[in-house]
Amino acid sequence: MIHGNLHVGSVFVTKGGDWKLWGLEYVVEADHLSNSPLHHLLQSSPGVGGGHSINSPPECKMNGWAERVKEHPYSIDVWEFGAFAVEVYQQAKIMMPAQFESVWRRLSVGDPLIRPLPKMIEESDYFTSNQYVEII
């Protein structure tokens, strides 16, 4: 499954501080990405800023990208998570912690084949040793 719509407008923070992911209207299975609403959104999004998807991965600008994504469907959401993190830190006007910056660098790699698997992100020191983060 590909969410493909991760940005600050698709995350709701509860009074208790829990972060809930919304924006599920574009969720699609990787095998059905071609000609889906998400396919059109990502292809037409101009990169940073504009469209619902604030930061489309660079591979979405190439011909035949939807077929290539089938091999690594997580790569779109991983890229968008990296862009989301930058948005959060910029809007909060705080520096990105150095421990997370090393994770972010891997998320924002231009080549989708070498972006980390979501499990690798969850298991990074930033998330496993952070008393304020619980991944469920």
Side-chain angles (χ1 to χ4, degrees), residues 30-31 33-34 39 63-72:
D31 290 338
L33 180 60
S34 293
H39 179 269
N63 288 332
W65 69 271
E67 284 301 311
R68 288 193 294 274
V69 166
K70 287 181 184 178
E71 296 175 35
H72 302 279

Side-chain angles (χ1 to χ4, degrees), residues 25-136:
E25 59 272 15
Y26 292 103
V27 171
V28 66
E29 292 182 33
D31 290 338
H32 298 101
L33 180 60
S34 293
N35 296 318
S36 71
L38 177 61
H39 179 269
H40 297 294
L41 175 76
L42 292 174
Q43 203 163 27
S44 64
S45 180
V48 178
H52 289 303
S53 183
I54 298 301
N55 195 349
S56 297
E59 63 269 17
C60 294
K61 306 299 181 224
M62 299 178 207
N63 288 332
W65 69 271
E67 284 301 311
R68 288 193 294 274
V69 166
K70 287 181 184 178
E71 296 175 35
H72 302 279
Y74 62 87
S75 66
I76 291 172
D77 290 333
V78 166
W79 174 275
E80 287 186 346
F81 178 66
F84 167 75
V86 170
E87 279 186 279
V88 169
Y89 286 112
Q90 285 178 343
Q91 287 188 17
K93 295 184 172 110
I94 57 174
M95 295 290 296
M96 183 182 291
Q99 194 178 25
F100 182 73
E101 195 169 329
S102 63
V103 174
W104 172 77
R105 275 194 225 108
R106 294 187 321 208
L107 301 174
S108 58
V109 170
D111 183 349
L113 301 177
I114 56 176
R115 287 184 205 135
L117 293 166
K119 191 71 170 166
M120 294 170 70
I121 299 164
E122 290 175 25
E123 294 172 352
S124 70
D125 287 343
Y126 177 78
F127 290 106
T128 59
S129 64
N130 190 326
Q131 66 180 348
Y132 301 108
V133 176
E134 179 185 7
I135 298 173
I136 51 174

